[in-house]
Amino acid sequence: MDSIFKRTLRAELDFQDVKIKELSARTGISPRTLEGYLNARSSIPPADVAVKIAQALNVSVEYLVTGNPTYNIAKNQTLNSQNPIEEKISVLSIEKKKLLRDFVNLLDGYDIIQQKP
């Protein structure tokens, strides 16, 4: 389980483009402590620390601990009936979320002009 937390945390930080220093500012946890959760001898933080990290990243603690994206649905319950697209995105793997983010960024760079027939 320890390596799952480390991999999931690293993937989420990469996906959200959040640096350790920024996460430290959001959580009040020292950068050195956060780096300790990401290094080769990492361990799962105490529950109160894991909650702070999850809240700062807007993900569930279960997701960070298990790496299972379906646990993120609980964090976003309000989305279920309001926005089915966001619900589907919330259960994608980190790799698929990165691809989707890159695609959206690519689309954002294009001006689409509608031509009338």
Side-chain angles (χ1 to χ4, degrees):
M1 282 288 205
D2 291 354
S3 62
I4 293 172
F5 181 87
K6 175 178 72 173
R7 284 194 314 260
T8 307
L9 178 57
R10 171 54 57 207
E12 195 62 37
L13 289 171
D14 290 346
F15 173 71
Q16 294 188 27
D17 196 26
V18 174
K19 307 297 181 228
I20 294 293
K21 189 174 181 179
E22 182 181 348
L23 184 60
S24 174
R26 291 182 190 181
T27 61
I29 302 166
S30 75
R32 188 172 187 184
T33 299
L34 291 170
E35 288 168 359
Y37 299 132
L38 295 168
N39 71 25
R41 296 182 185 167
S42 66
S43 62
I44 296 176
D48 60 324
V49 173
V51 168
K52 286 180 184 180
I53 294 170
Q55 288 174 338
L57 295 173
N58 197 30
V59 298
S60 70
V61 175
E62 293 87 353
Y63 167 65
L64 288 177
V65 173
T66 66
N68 186 341
T70 58
Y71 281 115
N72 250 355
I73 294 173
K75 180 73 178 165
N76 299 308
Q77 281 297 318
T78 58
L79 300 177
N80 288 342
S81 61
Q82 295 175 352
N83 193 332
I85 292 172
E86 288 182 5
E87 180 183 350
K88 289 181 187 235
I89 291 171
S90 72
V91 298
L92 292 176
S93 68
I94 291 293
E95 292 79 20
K96 288 181 181 179
K97 285 180 181 178
K98 285 181 180 180
L99 287 172
L100 185 58
R101 179 197 59 201
D102 293 346
F103 178 71
V104 169
N105 287 338
L106 181 66
L107 284 178
D108 192 39
Y110 287 98
D111 287 328
I112 300 173
I113 301 172
Q114 289 186 325
Q115 296 181 359
K116 296 181 181 179

